[in-house]
Amino acid sequence: MIHFDNVTKVYPNQNRPALQHVNVAIEKGEFLFLVGPSGSGKSTFLRLVLKEERPSQGHVHVAGKDLNRLTNWKVPHLRRRIGCVFQDFRLLPNKNVFENVAFALEVIGKPRRFIAKVVPEVIDLVGLEGKAHRMPDELSGGEQQRVAIARAFVNRPMILLADEPTGNIDPATSIGIMKVLDRINRTGTTVVMATHDAAIVDAFRKRVVELEDGRVVRDQSRGVYGQAY
Amino acid sequence: MRAQFVLQEIWIGLRRNLTMTISLVITVAIAMALLGTGLLIKLQVDSSKSYWHDRIEVSIFLCAKTSSNANCNKTDVTEQQKQEIQNDLKGLSVVKEVKYESKEEAFERFKESFSNSPGFVNSTKVGDIPDSFRVRLKDPEKFEEVTKLLANRAGVDQVVNEKEILDRFFKILNGLQWAAIMIAVIQVVAAVLLVANTVRLSAFNRRRETGIMRLVGASNLYIQLPFILEGAIAGLIGGGFAAILLVGSKVVLIDQLQESLQFTSQLGWGSVFGVIVFSICVGVLLCAAASFLSLRRYLRI
């Protein structure tokens, strides 16, 4: 589903590469934790998948397509197949839960009837039954993140990228968020989650890819956050 | 869904920076009105020019006892001189028609053209306007041949070329037209910069929305269209005001000009309408283009 083929990324005006010779293959339906300290290249990894950045060297393949060859014109279609969740939720404060989720479908031109049918289903899926008409500032952090996940998932993407989704949320609430991501993963969606949260990684026992200074230092199935001692 | 969504976004954008939108509309309206006025004056000048081109005459005033020209020696022109002058004029290749106008005919014509100001007519009497030849040329530019032929000719008091008088007058109108167009161009530049700024502000205000749109894979057109239409709609409203101003300038400026200067060619509402449509199109396209260009720098994939 996602293949990094000897990818190096150097940002302009920086000597140190953000990623160096990264080779990772993520298969369809996998759940993968991307761990490592700040500045180790986790976010760059995710941005490369979205084609927000281009690799300086090497190739990134998403769903069988070489992103280097993907024209800018087709980038929106790539992104329709990838959902994104962030640490800071990125909800629209002037829209309620339903409208926030529906926004993702409206802007890609889905018909109103389809939206009316699909959005409530997803709101239920992430565990926000009965809260469709709340505004974001009436929700807790965990609930806001659920809205963001619903928005990322409403178009049924093949891949869900989550950049520290539990970073702003207390541990107890984080478990709930992880359960939602797990539920989404069970529908066949590939989930890539960048995180600092050792407790979560240790509890879930999924594949772990650890980055350090832009290099893959560990790729372990059913891994834990820290080195296995 | 699409249309409604786009319209809603435009409305939000225009309302959020209302003051910018208002100043934009005013600037566009003034720019387009000035541009249109310049074009209207140009149309008027062009049509009157071609009208006069066919009717322009060179008047050759002949000597009378009252004329102050030393060449005349305080004597009337003789019949023989008149005949010679007429024959010579008719011999010129550039001359289309030669008409003789006696003192009496000249006075009648004078009375008729100034019938509105009886005081002026009463203080004039037959003989104040001397006998004259009125020469129409095939090409009014070649009046010099006539002047050359009749320079210092016995019996000729003055050669007056209507073209020179009209040229001076058209020069003023030309100046007016260019002044309007120059100011319009400056205003258009201001309008374009203002559009660019308004749209940039609008894009900044909505960077959350556009950021999410990018992430969920909205096409560029979908992201940019509300902003471009925002500019275009401001241009359209400005153009609407400009249309009102142009109708005003047709009534106040052009019609007044026509009346006081006795333009024989009327500038119809048809051409005013054409100018209005043209300036609205220019306004809308300029605003849309300015939005598009400023977005290219601001909203990248």
Side-chain angles (χ1 to χ4, degrees):
Chain A
M1 188 58 54
I2 302 172
H3 286 250
F4 273 56
D5 183 7
N6 199 23
V7 171
T8 297
K9 173 67 187 176
V10 186
Y11 286 106
N13 305 322
Q14 275 192 336
N15 299 327
R16 206 171 60 82
L19 288 179
Q20 293 188 63
H21 307 295
V22 170
N23 286 291
V24 176
I26 303 168
E27 299 311 322
K28 187 174 183 332
E30 258 192 296
F31 195 117
L32 181 137
F33 287 113
L34 201 57
V35 302
S38 299
S40 59
K42 303 192 295 291
S43 295
T44 301
F45 186 98
L46 299 182
R47 291 169 66 80
L48 284 168
V49 176
L50 282 168
K51 207 181 180 219
E52 290 207 60
E53 300 289 346
R54 308 172 129 267
S56 311
Q57 260 176 52
H59 297 268
V60 178
H61 294 264
V62 175
K65 290 205 177 83
D66 183 350
L67 298 194
N68 287 358
R69 293 194 190 166
L70 197 70
T71 54
N72 282 347
W73 187 250
K74 286 192 174 158
V75 169
H77 292 276
L78 168 76
R79 292 187 185 150
R80 283 179 200 187
R81 312 184 75 181
I82 303 174
C84 272
V85 180
F86 301 92
Q87 187 173 1
D88 56 357
F89 319 140
R90 301 198 188 172
L91 300 178
L92 298 173
N94 54 344
K95 292 188 192 293
N96 67 26
V97 170
F98 181 92
E99 289 163 344
N100 261 291
V101 178
F103 186 77
L105 294 177
E106 277 168 353
V107 299
I108 58 174
K110 293 283 185 198
R112 185 200 292 265
R113 222 187 295 158
F114 176 77
I115 293 172
K117 178 173 159 295
V118 165
V119 172
E121 286 174 11
V122 177
I123 289 176
D124 289 353
L125 179 86
V126 299
L128 290 172
E129 300 90 343
K131 293 185 175 164
H133 298 288
R134 299 279 188 90
M135 298 305 280
D137 57 6
E138 299 167 354
L139 298 174
S140 70
E143 287 169 329
Q144 289 187 42
Q145 191 60 290
R146 285 167 193 257
V147 179
I149 293 170
R151 182 180 63 197
F153 188 61
V154 70
N155 197 30
R156 305 285 160 162
M158 309 176 302
I159 300 168
L160 186 75
L161 303 179
D163 194 357
E164 312 218 14
T166 57
N168 274 345
I169 297 168
D170 65 81
T173 317
S174 297
I175 304 287
I177 297 294
M178 290 313 298
K179 282 187 176 153
V180 173
L181 291 179
D182 188 44
R183 202 179 299 162
I184 284 170
N185 178 233
R186 282 173 201 278
T187 65
T189 303
T190 309
V191 178
V192 179
M193 172 170 161
T195 187
H196 282 308
D197 198 328
I200 285 175
V201 178
D202 292 347
F204 264 77
R205 288 282 171 165
K206 299 283 188 183
R207 180 176 170 194
V208 173
V209 170
E210 183 174 350
L211 290 171
E212 207 178 289
D213 289 333
R215 293 174 192 279
V216 177
V217 294
R218 178 162 62 111
D219 186 347
Q220 192 175 25
S221 55
R222 302 180 58 75
V224 291
Y225 186 82
Q227 291 284 1
Y229 298 109
Chain B
M1 196 73 218
R2 276 169 180 262
Q4 192 201 342
F5 176 78
V6 171
L7 289 176
Q8 186 185 326
E9 289 291 305
I10 295 167
W11 172 239
I12 292 170
L14 286 176
R15 212 183 39 188
R16 261 195 208 167
N17 35 27
L18 189 63
T19 48
M20 274 300 253
T21 308
I22 291 172
S23 67
L24 175 58
V25 165
I26 293 173
T27 313
V28 172
I30 293 175
M32 294 307 128
L34 281 169
L35 185 70
T37 306
L39 288 176
L40 280 182
I41 296 177
K42 184 173 164 48
L43 283 179
Q44 177 69 76
V45 169
D46 286 352
S47 72
S48 343
K49 255 187 195 162
S50 66
Y51 176 84
W52 284 110
H53 191 81
D54 295 338
R55 285 167 185 74
I56 244 167
E57 289 175 339
V58 179
S59 302
I60 298 124
F61 292 105
L62 301 174
C63 285
K65 280 192 194 110
T66 50
S67 53
S68 53
N69 195 335
N71 198 26
C72 288
N73 255 336
K74 300 275 180 202
T75 51
D76 274 335
V77 64
T78 63
E79 276 307 313
Q80 197 201 344
Q81 283 171 331
K82 274 188 204 171
Q83 206 53 52
E84 277 175 22
I85 292 167
Q86 186 159 23
N87 286 342
D88 284 357
L89 280 173
K90 284 187 170 156
L92 278 179
S93 61
V94 296
V95 169
K96 195 154 106 193
E97 197 187 349
V98 180
K99 229 169 52 191
Y100 176 73
E101 196 178 54
S102 69
K103 295 186 185 70
E104 292 74 24
E105 285 165 345
F107 183 66
E108 282 306 310
R109 208 157 67 101
F110 175 80
K111 268 207 305 201
E112 208 172 290
S113 11
F114 290 91
S115 56
N116 289 334
S117 36
F120 201 19
V121 175
N122 289 339
S123 64
T124 313
K125 57 186 189 300
V126 181
D128 282 356
I129 307 167
D131 296 331
S132 63
F133 284 112
R134 309 212 153 243
V135 176
R136 199 175 288 177
L137 301 175
K138 287 180 184 141
D139 178 0
E141 301 290 336
K142 293 193 176 140
F143 67 94
E144 266 168 15
E145 296 201 18
V146 179
T147 331
K148 225 191 295 167
L149 175 75
L150 297 174
N152 299 319
R153 184 68 162 278
V156 173
D157 182 356
Q158 258 186 318
V159 179
V160 175
N161 182 15
E162 281 180 350
K163 189 172 182 303
E164 278 175 6
I165 301 168
L166 277 173
D167 275 353
R168 216 171 302 151
F169 163 67
F170 280 130
K171 226 180 187 173
I172 295 170
L173 280 184
N174 264 335
L176 213 64
Q177 163 201 329
W178 283 113
I181 289 177
M182 280 297 287
I183 299 172
V185 166
I186 294 170
Q187 284 280 332
V188 164
V189 171
V192 165
L193 294 178
L194 211 62
V195 172
N197 258 324
T198 309
V199 164
R200 205 174 303 169
L201 207 72
S202 198
F204 184 75
N205 274 337
R206 276 188 280 161
R207 61 195 185 283
R208 270 173 188 278
E209 280 90 338
T210 49
I212 292 165
M213 285 165 99
R214 266 166 16 89
L215 270 180
V216 301
S219 62
N220 287 339
L221 183 73
Y222 220 81
I223 297 174
Q224 294 182 354
L225 198 63
F227 295 101
I228 293 171
L229 288 180
E230 206 179 303
I233 284 177
L236 190 66
I237 299 172
F241 282 117
I244 297 169
L245 290 175
L246 277 176
V247 169
S249 82
K250 148 85 172 148
V251 172
V252 175
L253 189 68
I254 303 288
D255 284 359
Q256 292 294 314
L257 271 180
Q258 262 167 4
E259 218 163 281
S260 60
L261 301 171
Q262 314 221 316
F263 280 148
T264 16
S265 60
Q266 284 273 335
L267 195 66
W269 286 105
S271 35
V272 176
F273 183 71
V275 165
I276 285 174
V277 169
F278 176 76
S279 30
I280 288 181
C281 288
V282 169
V284 169
L285 286 179
L286 269 179
C287 289
S291 313
F292 180 69
L293 291 178
S294 79
L295 279 178
R296 279 183 77 82
R297 277 178 42 191
Y298 207 78
L299 295 178
R300 271 182 307 164
I301 307 174

